[in-house]
């Protein structure tokens, strides 16, 4: 089993995903700056995993100062720093909000006590994600027809979450249930999470799979080789618009045009109850060198201008269903998401 | 000016396009095997340029044998060998057909005479392509609105033709006429002809341009940033279906879905009058290593299965117009192409 993130002996041990599939290299750290850097450069990536890592980042508080006022201020700065790493995935803000609440509710002024509580909260965010993945995977697998050909994008498996994954969790669960014939993996330029990470994960599962360039998906779908498209999400607006890895909207249009289902899988923590529509979601733009260089190797002329949004926005009308840990949501998403929100609030 | 192919001192001098943009490396050869290899590994590429190179390949006959029967047989083998390099682009077969006719009409039994005729035919195929590019570019440029944002795919410029190009020829001509505001270039995985070649060419023209990954096109079009999509073609069926670089069909669907024009630009030599529909066109599948390795660098796990068609087929219904050197063709393409064919035949 792949463990991309683990709390061991007071340190966060994480797999540096930028080095996959060439190398399985693990880092150990108790320094928040290292975690911040790892999230920024995508050594730790995947919306749920970023949230978990950030929660551990807050918990990796290491101080000899016994000054509660200083600690409060310091931790608020740490939370702000972690919030600044990636703007689009909402799980990050959600996890940091939970750590922020722990800090606010801290009354004892015992630093050791605070450390214990922050670590417990991080572990519980981590553990909850394991369970959310299981629920999503079971609910999603049931939606798939038997012996189907599925296309996925980016990486949404163990490397992206605390558990078995979201979209890829569904695929591996469906495989166990005999529902998968073949998996097609879009390589996901520019950072090749499909080629580097999903291909690597799926090989470990021994599921029959084929890697394609992103621009081959249309041709495969045209030829009837794809029955279902499943992707993850980085943020879901209250109307069901979805921010996800660049290329997702492209697949959504293709699925709609060729009349095959297009599913989005994500934990409830990916829903931003503050955001009404996709147009209100900030889309991160990445450095153009991620496009003009592959593993540091130049593939475009010096000085070429690049536009590299990390995500795109898929309007709700393209989405057949949103598969969450609390149930499968259908259109109209305004209603089904509002309903989910009410259930969440009444549970508290 | 870029000269990707030139006949100098009895040899073919060609730019090895696989090394661009890192290196401008030219090869000189009078050996047909070197030309065959250059076409196979895409050192010489672009449907029209492949045809021109193949014609020079036949003309690079270098023999001391003064045996007309042997020469005939040898040249038929050379033509077969050149035909076997790439299956999809029809210009290759068209150019070789012309050299084949020269060979069949050769009556003098003088080898020197044959050599002269084959070289003259190759040069005339080359020169005709220069003129075809000019006509296509002028006709196409007039179709573009003033100050438009255009998206193109792969490379269809000087590096792909004998002249200024087809789709890219239109763009550079339109730029000269003030019709271009900005050019977006799809990088064109797996071999990155957009990033490596089109970006390199367009920088030489000083046209404002931005490189994007192929999966960013949908998002740009969704945001209204693209007014027109223009691509080339490797083979056009009599019903107007178009075989072109993988990713073309994807762009065609996006253009139709977002109601922007989708133009195909190609010389008449790209029309296959023998093929009724796109489904009759052989689509070349390339080695998976072109996907799993970038400039020899591994980006996917060892042994990962890959599907890598070099081309896809865009059905005629997605095409706003086909811009040829003999005029702009509109739907129904069955009629407009048949009409073009009749004009061609009556001209002979």
């Amino acid at each position: 089993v792949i463990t991309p993130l683990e709390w061991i002996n007071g340190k966060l041990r994480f797999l540096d995903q930028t080095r996959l599939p060439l190398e399985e290299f693990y880092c150990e750290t108790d320094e928040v700056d290292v975690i911040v850097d790892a999230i920024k450069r995508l050594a730790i990536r995947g919306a749920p995993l970023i949230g978990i890592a950030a929660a551990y980042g807050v918990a990796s508080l290491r101080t000899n100062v016994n000054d509660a006022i200083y600690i409060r201020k310091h931790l608020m700065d740490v939370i702000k720093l972690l919030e600044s790493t990636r703007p689009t995935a909402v799980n990050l803000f959600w996890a940091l909000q939970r750590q922020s609440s722990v800090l606010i509710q801290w009354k004892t002024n015992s630093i050791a006590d605070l450390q214990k509580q922050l670590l417990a909260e991080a572990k519980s965010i981590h553990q909850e994600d394991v369970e959310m993945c299981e629920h999503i995977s079971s609910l999603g697998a049931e939606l798939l027809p038997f012996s189907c050909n599925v296309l996925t994008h980016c990486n949404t498996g163990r490397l992206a979450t605390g558990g078995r994954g979201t979209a890829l969790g569904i695929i591996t669960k469906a495989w166990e249930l005999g529902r998968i014939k073949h998996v097609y993996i879009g390589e996901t330029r520019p950072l090749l999470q499909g080629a580097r990470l999903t291909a690597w994960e799926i090989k470990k599962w021994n599921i029959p799979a084929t890697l394609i360039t992103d621009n081959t998906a249309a041709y495969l779908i045209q030829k009837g080789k794809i029955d279902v498209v499943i992707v993850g999400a980085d943020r879901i607006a209250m109307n069901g618009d979805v921010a996800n890895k660049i290329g997702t909207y492209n697949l959504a249009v293709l699925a709609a045009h060729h009349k095959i289902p297009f599913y989005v899988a994500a934990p409830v923590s990916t829903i931003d109850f503050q955001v009404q529509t996709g147009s209100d979601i900030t889309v991160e733009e990445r450095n153009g060198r991620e496009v003009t260089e592959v593993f540091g190797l130049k593939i475009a002329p010096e000085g070429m201008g690049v536009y590299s949004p990390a995500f795109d926005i898929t309007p709700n009308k393209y989405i057949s269903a949103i598969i969450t840990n609390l149930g499968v949501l259908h259109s109209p998403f305004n209603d089904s998401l509002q309903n989910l929100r009410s259930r969440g609030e009444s549970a508290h």
Side-chain angles (χ1 to χ4, degrees), chain A:
Chain A
V1 173
I2 306 154
T3 309
L5 206 78
E6 213 173 353
W7 185 263
I8 295 181
N9 304 325
K11 291 192 175 188
L12 186 67
R13 182 173 187 267
F14 67 88
L15 181 59
D16 183 343
Q17 298 191 28
T18 64
R19 302 206 188 185
L20 286 174
L22 304 179
E23 251 188 304
E24 288 183 36
F25 181 81
Y26 289 87
C27 297
E28 269 184 32
T29 188
D30 57 358
E31 288 179 52
V32 75
D33 288 343
V34 174
I35 298 171
V36 163
D37 177 64
I39 296 173
K40 276 189 182 168
R41 64 187 180 84
L42 278 55
I44 299 170
R45 34 68 51 201
L49 198 67
I50 289 170
I52 297 165
Y56 281 122
V58 180
S60 70
L61 170 66
R62 187 188 45 151
T63 176
N64 300 317
V65 184
N66 206 351
D67 177 343
I69 293 168
Y70 167 82
I71 292 293
R72 272 181 213 279
K73 160 117 189 31
H74 169 72
L75 277 181
M76 289 316 293
D77 289 346
V78 162
I79 287 169
K80 264 192 202 130
L81 183 65
L82 284 160
E83 278 177 349
S84 72
T85 50
R86 309 270 324 262
T88 306
V90 77
N91 317 59
L92 171 70
F93 303 99
W94 168 86
L96 290 170
Q97 188 52 52
R98 284 180 58 168
Q99 291 296 45
S100 193
S101 297
V102 170
L103 182 62
I104 287 161
Q105 282 156 35
W106 173 50
K107 306 285 182 207
T108 65
N109 281 0
S110 149
I111 312 286
D113 186 41
L114 177 63
Q115 279 180 310
K116 222 158 114 183
Q117 286 182 44
L118 289 171
L119 184 58
E121 189 69 4
K123 285 186 171 169
S124 113
I125 288 169
H126 196 168
Q127 183 53 37
E128 286 165 32
D129 196 63
V130 174
E131 288 154 23
M132 286 196 278
C133 286
E134 288 301 323
H135 287 131
I136 291 167
S137 300
S138 299
L139 289 169
E142 280 172 37
L143 292 181
L144 300 191
F146 278 92
S147 195
C148 72
N149 295 303
V150 56
L151 170 65
T152 190
H153 190 59
C154 198
N155 175 271
T156 56
R158 289 200 182 281
L159 292 170
T161 64
R164 75 186 295 150
T166 55
L168 196 55
I170 290 170
I171 291 169
T172 58
K173 176 65 85 179
W175 165 253
E176 291 173 337
L177 300 173
R179 289 176 182 260
I180 298 288
K181 186 170 166 195
H182 203 90
V183 179
Y184 289 90
I185 304 166
E187 64 174 3
T188 319
R189 280 283 287 155
L191 291 174
L192 298 161
Q193 291 93 337
R196 293 191 303 105
L197 311 179
T198 300
W200 184 78
E201 276 198 49
I202 217 125
K203 274 189 84 73
K204 289 186 186 277
W205 282 95
N206 275 316
I207 301 175
T210 298
L211 178 65
I212 57 169
T213 61
D214 299 320
N215 58 23
T216 303
Y219 188 48
L220 274 177
I221 296 173
Q222 180 197 40
K223 296 206 294 177
K225 303 268 188 185
I226 307 290
D227 301 309
V228 183
V229 179
I230 315 181
V231 299
D234 287 79
R235 195 186 293 219
I236 299 172
M238 281 303 284
N239 70 342
D241 291 353
V242 167
N244 191 47
K245 179 58 53 201
I246 188 73
T248 299
Y249 172 63
N250 189 35
L251 295 177
V253 170
L254 293 174
H257 189 78
H258 296 88
K259 300 185 173 44
I260 60 172
F262 181 83
Y263 294 126
V264 172
V268 170
S269 57
T270 305
I271 303 161
D272 189 341
F273 294 109
Q274 310 307 315
V275 156
Q276 292 311 306
T277 75
S279 57
D280 299 325
I281 298 174
T282 303
V283 171
E284 177 181 9
E285 281 185 37
R286 304 281 302 176
N287 193 310
R289 284 170 61 178
E290 292 181 348
V291 173
T292 58
E293 296 179 15
V294 175
F295 279 124
L297 194 76
K298 277 215 164 49
I299 57 154
E302 195 59 44
M304 185 64 207
V306 174
Y307 173 58
S308 181
F311 307 96
D312 58 27
I313 307 291
T314 300
N316 55 21
K317 69 171 176 177
Y318 296 95
I319 299 166
S320 310
I322 299 175
I323 304 156
T324 79
N325 48 303
L326 295 182
V328 178
L329 310 182
H330 292 280
S331 177
F333 292 106
N334 268 316
D335 295 350
S336 50
L337 280 160
Q338 192 52 55
N339 196 344
L340 189 79
R341 182 186 198 175
S342 314
R343 279 164 56 201
E345 276 165 3
S346 68
H348 282 291

